[in-house]
Amino acid sequence: MVRITMFDKILIANRGEIACRVITTARRLGIKTVAVYSDADANAKHVAMADEAVHIGPPEVGESYLKADRIIQAAANTGAQAIHPGYGFLSENPAFVNAINKAGLTFIGPSASAIEAMGLKDAAKALMEDAGVPVVPGYHGDSQDPDFLDKEADKIGYPVLIKARAGGGGKGMRLVEDPKDFKAALAGAQREGEASFGDPACLIEKYITQPRHIEIQVFGDSLGNVIHLFERDCSLQRRHQKVIEEAPAPDMPEDVRAAMGKAAVDAAKAIGYQGAGTVEFIVDGSGPLRPDGFWFMEMNTRLQVEHPVSEAITGLDFVELQLRVAAGEPLPVTQDDLAINGWAFEARLYAEDVPKGFLPATGTLDHLTFPEASTFKHGATRIDSGVRQGDTISPFYDPMIAKVIVHGPTRDAALNQLGAALRETHVAGCVTNIDFLSALTHHDGFQKGEVNTGLIARDADTLTPIAVPCSRCRALAALGALGLHQTQPPLAGFALWQPLARTAHLTWGEEEVVAKVAQTGSSFTTIIGDNTHRITRTDTGWDIDGSKVSASVVQTPGGVSVFWGNSYHFTVPDPLTVADASADGGDTITAPMPGLVKNVSATAGDQVTKGDPLVILEAMKMEHTLTAPRDGTIAEVLCATGDQVSDGTLLLALEAEDD
Ligand code: ADP
Ligand code: ADP
Ligand code: MG
């Protein structure tokens, strides 16, 4: 037997978490890696992780990550022997595969002809029908005549689903429930197909009611072996896009698993499939799963976003398998070697604004911490992420922050772990869907395994609650706003001025929060409206009014975030504006930013009038004049010209007012 040597060096034609994921395995196998990057990604994690990195163009994907010729040139120039495409971008582009082969390099994935065979949903369905794989009933012929398709839709029976044949990522689809809406919906799907994929042609499918999305992971090698690695249930979707995936599928009978596995292997064999692929089925979820109740939808000829849940339950590294079969090695396992071990979930953490209709968001990840995790395989929690604290989520690419993956012995255990892992994932600086993901883990039907693709839309209201911070949470935020969350009373300077309180101004959404904070022994006392709380720092979190609270408080450039089950983000308005705007003004002047004290024009005992300039602070080469917050008498000056002070340092205090 000829044993082909593994690659020495590969290029990864992608970015973000999947590029990092591929690099991790390559490194473990001793393979050198070349990253490619756009201007927007010059400092990205995948660039830092790779052994080498090649700049390929401006931020726009059309000018960088989709530029096949530049990417292939980069591989040739760096001596990479093979190219891993990741997912998205050029991963399902047969012309890219042909060009790679022409350059004498290896594409880590299937052949161009296999990709092409599955590229259009209509042709793929026709091919699968011939291979004896059950397909969703419908019309997938060539005619695009609206009158003809209208009649076909009547024959199929309503409701029907119109799909752009070149579609992907949930685009170009229209559900039609009433025949009178058919033609308008067809025109809409065609327009979207043309706009997004340059192909207006559509197919018509029977709309399966109460559907579940169950897909089978397959792998083929160059010797003609094809295996399946069981199923994933990806029914938790929003607008046909996956949100949380799991493996195996809840309530999957062995005979249905075997039938779906066989159908997927047949599908892959029909196109001489090599590498990692996924055969997606729509499944009748109106009752127990049946061997005659699943139908082929499409095949994704690449590594899928949600592959880690299958890695978790099989204990295999799919990127390693991809590299081995691309290098000509046989699959290291046979179907009989495989068994399902435990249960796994993956949640997709995105920068998106859930209350604003899941709008993709951008911003800087001022704070980003994950639960303790193993970077790959085995272990309760795995985080696959392409960003680090301080990185930005730009408008150019998919706003994914991370995939939170958990593996446990049972579904209940794994789901509990997912909830815990999400609670320990703290992001500030960008809005995220994390509270929505957490709400899903608590959903009654989901907990029971009663999943179908309509679940999220049906229960949207309960899944997108806006968690309102209680007064204890606000009190913690106030400590954060004053920079006191990492300190332990009694504090010098501050202690002197007891009973003087410091005032924190925050906003939560549109709501203003004003808190007075004072020291009482080794505790802080906070007063917000009618609510007074006594807060002490503990080793693991906080003690509030005698109850242990495991919350964490994080200061960010624009505000303060409290992570306490949900995430609560407060903004802290510029203290200068607050001082100007507030009527009563408060009793102290604190440094609004780190800086150098340039001048102090007051001494203890001075009578001052609101607005009098008292301290000049230089920060970032600009002078900021801090003025008297109200009329009164200076009690003490706590800074001197030349002092370097940090953000929030108490500079000056007024005597308490008599009343
Ligand atoms: P999956 O079933 O793996 O989620 P999708 O077709 O939804 O498959 O897409 C997978 C990922 O690929 C998406 O999350 C997105 O980041 C990326 N992607 C899809 N299409 C494109 C594209 N045309 N260009 C860039 N990235 C894409
Ligand atoms: P894409 O290429 O965008 O991933 P798919 O054909 O895989 O398109 O369909 C995406 C999603 O739409 C599926 O996961 C499923 O939730 C829903 N869907 C697709 N076809 C049907 C159908 N015939 N009946 C019901 N739902 C469907
Ligand atoms: Mg799909």
Side-chain angles (χ1 to χ4, degrees):
M1 196 183 85
V2 198
R3 194 179 158 84
I4 292 134
T5 15
M6 183 49 95
F7 312 110
D8 298 321
K9 192 191 259 193
I10 62 169
L11 179 142
I12 298 102
N14 216 302
R15 64 177 304 284
E17 71 85 14
I18 193 62
C20 298
R21 160 77 190 86
V22 173
I23 293 170
T24 304
T25 290
R27 171 166 306 153
R28 187 171 59 75
L29 299 177
I31 300 170
K32 294 194 238 9
T33 53
V34 182
V36 292
Y37 65 96
S38 71
D39 288 336
D41 280 338
N43 298 312
K45 182 177 172 189
H46 76 281
V47 172
M49 279 178 74
D51 296 308
E52 287 172 71
V54 180
H55 175 249
I56 50 167
E60 296 76 17
V61 294
E63 292 299 315
S64 52
Y65 296 104
L66 292 175
K67 278 279 183 211
D69 49 346
R70 278 186 214 157
I71 291 170
I72 295 168
Q73 192 60 52
N77 291 350
T78 53
Q81 297 129 344
I83 298 182
H84 194 299
Y87 54 69
F89 296 136
L90 295 165
S91 61
E92 296 179 274
N93 185 321
F96 183 52
V97 179
N98 284 327
I100 288 173
N101 294 336
K102 214 169 139 213
L105 305 176
T106 303
F107 177 72
I108 300 166
S111 66
S113 65
I115 295 176
E116 204 147 23
M118 291 297 179
L120 295 175
K121 292 182 201 287
D122 52 359
K125 282 181 75 178
L127 189 75
M128 290 299 104
E129 250 176 337
D130 293 344
V133 176
V135 304
V136 188
Y139 176 79
H140 43 265
D142 289 333
S143 174
Q144 291 296 312
D145 174 44
D147 291 318
F148 173 81
L149 291 177
D150 196 10
K151 290 205 187 72
E152 286 298 319
D154 290 337
K155 273 197 236 162
I156 295 163
Y158 281 82
V160 298
L161 190 63
I162 306 174
K163 284 186 188 176
R165 68 173 182 185
K171 284 210 195 91
M173 304 211 314
R174 291 287 188 285
L175 167 63
V176 194
E177 291 177 282
D178 187 329
K180 75 171 173 19
D181 300 330
F182 181 82
K183 283 199 179 151
L186 177 66
Q190 287 172 331
R191 264 198 313 277
E192 214 165 290
E194 175 67 44
S196 304
F197 313 102
D199 182 353
C202 288
L203 58 151
I204 318 292
E205 280 184 0
K206 172 98 193 138
Y207 183 76
I208 310 297
T209 46
Q210 297 201 45
R212 284 171 65 175
H213 172 122
I214 300 179
E215 57 186 34
I216 306 284
Q217 174 72 49
V218 293
F219 249 101
D221 64 21
S222 59
L223 308 168
N225 302 308
V226 180
I227 56 170
H228 73 81
L229 297 107
F230 312 108
E231 77 280 2
R232 292 184 285 262
D233 194 313
C234 312
S235 299
L236 236 49
Q237 300 184 349
R238 207 194 131 262
R239 301 213 178 154
H240 310 301
Q241 293 272 50
K242 298 158 187 169
V243 178
I244 293 182
E245 303 97 343
E246 63 185 298
D251 301 315
M252 170 64 89
E254 264 321 314
D255 60 334
V256 181
R257 175 173 291 137
M260 292 185 74
K262 178 181 181 305
V265 168
D266 288 348
K269 281 192 169 154
I271 54 169
Y273 201 78
Q274 179 183 326
T278 296
V279 183
E280 295 190 336
F281 294 99
I282 195 85
V283 179
D284 179 3
S286 62
L289 303 181
R290 315 181 310 271
D292 63 347
F294 65 88
W295 301 276
F296 172 88
M297 275 193 299
E298 65 165 347
M299 179 165 183
N300 293 324
T301 51
R302 53 170 161 84
L303 196 65
Q304 201 101 336
V305 174
E306 58 275 21
H307 75 276
V309 292
S310 303
E311 292 184 321
I313 62 158
T314 58
L316 293 167
D317 177 339
F318 291 180
V319 173
E320 175 179 346
L321 294 188
Q322 284 188 299
L323 290 164
R324 291 198 180 284
V325 301
E329 291 185 19
L331 280 168
V333 286
T334 64
Q335 195 69 54
D336 293 338
D337 297 333
L338 297 168
I340 296 176
N341 168 25
W343 212 285
F345 286 94
E346 171 187 281
R348 298 186 187 195
L349 175 62
Y350 280 103
E352 58 185 15
D353 197 333
V354 173
K356 286 201 184 125
F358 294 84
L359 220 60
T362 56
T364 300
L365 298 161
D366 294 320
H367 178 83
L368 178 66
T369 55
F370 293 113
E372 206 175 314
S374 52
T375 50
F376 176 73
K377 289 209 296 200
H378 301 307
T381 304
R382 162 177 166 186
I383 303 292
D384 280 16
S385 175
V387 288
R388 301 149 301 188
Q389 181 164 297
D391 287 351
T392 51
I393 300 291
S394 79
F396 300 105
Y397 316 110
D398 190 271
M400 183 189 274
I401 297 172
K403 306 190 302 203
V404 177
I405 305 134
V406 297
H407 184 208
T410 62
R411 188 173 190 273
D412 285 347
L415 192 51
N416 275 336
Q417 258 164 250
L418 181 61
L422 290 170
R423 277 194 298 281
E424 288 170 37
T425 298
H426 298 167
V427 192
C430 268
V431 293
T432 75
N433 64 344
I434 194 155
D435 291 347
F436 170 64
L437 295 173
S438 287
L440 273 170
T441 65
H442 297 121
H443 184 278
D444 205 41
F446 182 46
Q447 287 191 340
K448 290 184 187 138
E450 294 162 359
V451 291
N452 64 60
T453 64
L455 182 149
I456 289 179
R458 213 168 32 244
D459 294 332
D461 292 347
T462 54
L463 291 169
T464 53
I466 298 180
V468 179
C470 64
S471 64
R472 293 185 298 163
C473 178
R474 290 165 198 239
L476 288 174
L479 293 187
L482 296 173
L484 298 172
H485 59 302
Q486 285 169 328
T487 59
Q488 184 79 53
L491 298 176
F494 194 28
L496 276 178
W497 294 102
Q498 196 178 329
L500 289 189
R502 290 177 60 184
T503 308
H505 294 265
L506 306 97
T507 55
W508 181 75
E510 301 283 283
E511 201 184 322
E512 285 191 36
V513 178
V514 179
K516 295 262 180 208
V517 181
Q519 295 188 99
T520 323
S522 61
S523 305
F524 290 112
T525 300
T526 62
I527 305 170
I528 301 173
D530 298 335
N531 295 296
T532 301
H533 297 295
R534 191 175 166 134
I535 306 181
T536 318
R537 251 175 85 89
T538 67
D539 289 343
T540 54
W542 306 91
D543 178 301
I544 304 183
D545 304 329
S547 306
K548 298 267 172 289
V549 165
S550 59
S552 49
V553 180
V554 169
Q555 240 180 337
T556 59
V560 52
S561 298
V562 178
F563 300 100
W564 185 359
N566 287 300
S567 0
Y568 302 93
H569 304 289
F570 297 81
T571 48
V572 179
D574 185 341
L576 294 174
T577 15
V578 171
D580 284 347
S582 73
D584 82 327
D587 301 315
T588 60
I589 293 180
T590 57
M593 71 275 289
L596 178 72
V597 177
K598 293 283 280 188
N599 185 47
V600 184
S601 54
T603 42
D606 286 358
Q607 293 289 323
V608 294
T609 308
K610 182 178 172 178
D612 283 353
L614 302 179
V615 178
I616 296 177
L617 194 64
E618 186 192 82
M620 291 182 278
K621 303 270 169 266
M622 298 254 299
E623 286 191 353
H624 301 268
T625 304
L626 308 180
T627 58
R630 59 169 168 79
D631 297 351
T633 308
I634 305 280
E636 195 182 18
V637 176
L638 295 145
C639 64
T641 304
D643 284 358
Q644 187 69 45
V645 296
S646 60
D647 189 5
T649 305
L650 184 60
L651 303 177
L652 198 144
L654 297 179
E655 277 178 11
E657 284 175 299
D658 294 340
D659 51 341

